């Protein structure tokens, strides 16, 4: 005979009250507490329905419903005809889009909202939504995923993180380059708002893909000489000015080019395991002159203050990749210090879900030795 289930009683008075149906009902009746109860209830439901929202956003993107509405308002029937979807199903999708805030309903017609217009205006965001189907497939069984019992497809989507040094599949290279280029534009904007590169003479960008970060640097600092280091097939596709030096290689196996007094690592560390990061930072330290700077630019964990974006989305994404992890500012700072860097700082960026920034310097030579 199965023992009766014991009542749920969490530790702590506040949590016991929050879990009590009687207290919840009391809060729902009392002015002042009623709003808190409603917001908490809605927040809990949003947690539960989050996956459905992301899938409906994917449907809106794949069917180009938002793009259609960029031309002007339309009825669900008109959208259904253009998207080749049964009208009754398009009505549900359109209503969901309006409820999520990317569309607005006015009578029988739907139009693009400000949020929807912003979504279409962000370079590469629609492509990222399409790309997420790989991650979502990996999360079909979240318990097995967390236990490490699955073989994520996402790990095979990014073959470069396994240290590939030979020729890569052209289609894979193109997908990698397109996604990196589109998303790194935003990363570069947010990072460069917090970084002052005056005084830098040559910047080497390691793992810079097709050069999106370097193009952003050139726009702000036209006098800085630029260099790109990445896998040969990736460097070959970089859309960069002719004066930008290109170095094909793998930082796992090849020495880093010298001559730069600043080195940037844009979304590189979180792709790799701790041992690889430690070796890379040691190589960066060796390649820099005394007083040289290293710039680490990538989404970062909130550490002791969990971040609602980076500690959910990016932490799970890197877990699915199976090679890296989303580190906190403290962890990155400790790795930099271990490599020998000093003067470590982390200016706060405007959007943690776009990027974080940590910068550090290689100690300068004492004045008597510098002479």
């Amino acid at each position: 005979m199965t023992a009766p289930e014991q009542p749920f009683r969490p530790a702590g008075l506040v949590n016991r009250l929050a879990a009590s149906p009687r207290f919840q009902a009391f809060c729902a009746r009392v002015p002042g507490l009623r709003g808190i109860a409603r917001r908490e209830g809605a927040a809990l439901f949003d947690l539960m329905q989050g996956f459905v929202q992301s899938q409906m956003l994917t449907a809106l993107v794949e069917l180009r419903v938002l793009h259609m509405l960029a031309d002007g308002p339309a009825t669900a029937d008109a959208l259904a005809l253009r998207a080749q979807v049964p009208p009754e199903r398009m009505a549900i999708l359109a209503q969901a889009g309006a409820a999520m805030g990317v569309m607005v309903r006015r009578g029988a017609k739907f139009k693009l909202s400000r949020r929807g217009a912003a979504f279409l205006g962000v370079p590469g965001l629609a492509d990222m939504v399409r790309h997420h189907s790989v991650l979502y497939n990996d999360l079909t069984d979240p318990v097995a995923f967390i236990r490490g019992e699955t073989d994520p497809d996402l790990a095979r989507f990014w073959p470069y993180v396994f240290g590939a040094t030979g020729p890569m599949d052209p289609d894979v290279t193109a997908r990698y380059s397109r996604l990196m280029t589109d998303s790194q534009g935003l990363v570069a904007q947010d990072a460069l708002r917090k970084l002052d590169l005056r005084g830098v003479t040559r910047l080497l960008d390691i793992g810079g893909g097709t050069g999106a970060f370097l193009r952003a640097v050139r726009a702000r600092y036209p006098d800085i000489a630029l260099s790109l280091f990445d896998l040969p097939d990736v460097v070959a596709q970089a859309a960069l000015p002719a004066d930008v030096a290109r170095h094909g290689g793998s930082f796992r196996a090849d020495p880093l080019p010298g001559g730069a007094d600043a080195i940037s690592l844009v979304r590189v560390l979180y792709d790799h395991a701790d041992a690889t990061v430690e070796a890379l930072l040691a190589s960066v330290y060796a390649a820099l002159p005394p007083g040289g700077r290293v710039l680490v630019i990538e989404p970062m964990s909130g550490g002791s203050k969990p971040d609602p974006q980076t500690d959910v989305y990016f932490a799970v994404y890197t877990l699915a990749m199976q090679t890296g992890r989303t580190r906190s500012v403290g962890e990155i700072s400790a790795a930099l210090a271990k490599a020998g860097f000093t003067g470590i700082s982390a200016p706060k960026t405007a959007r943690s879900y776009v990027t974080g920034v940590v910068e550090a310097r290689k100690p300068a030579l004492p004045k008597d030795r510098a002479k």
Side-chain angles (χ1 to χ4, degrees), residues 1 4 10 22 29 31 56 77 113 128 135 139 141 151 163 168 175 177 196 211 253 255 259 271 289 320 342 348 364:
M1 183 175 182
R22 180 178 297 180
R29 296 192 302 269
M56 291 304 98
D77 285 350
S113 68
M128 288 301 294
L135 176 61
L139 296 176
D141 187 341
D151 181 23
M168 294 168 59
R175 279 188 293 169
S177 298
D196 185 355
D271 279 345
T342 58
K348 189 174 180 61

Side-chain angles (χ1 to χ4, degrees), residues 223-293:
D223 295 330
I224 296 179
L226 304 175
S227 302
L228 173 66
F229 181 86
D230 209 321
L231 297 177
D233 288 348
V234 176
V235 170
Q237 296 186 39
L240 289 168
D243 67 319
V244 176
R246 302 167 188 247
H247 305 277
S250 168
F251 63 73
R252 293 173 179 266
D254 302 311
L256 299 180
D261 55 350
I263 291 179
S264 54
L265 299 165
V266 183
R267 299 197 304 188
V268 171
L269 299 190
Y270 80 159
D271 279 345
H272 300 282
D274 292 345
T276 303
V277 168
E278 182 177 336
L280 172 57
L281 292 180
S283 296
V284 169
Y285 185 89
L288 284 169
R293 298 167 62 184

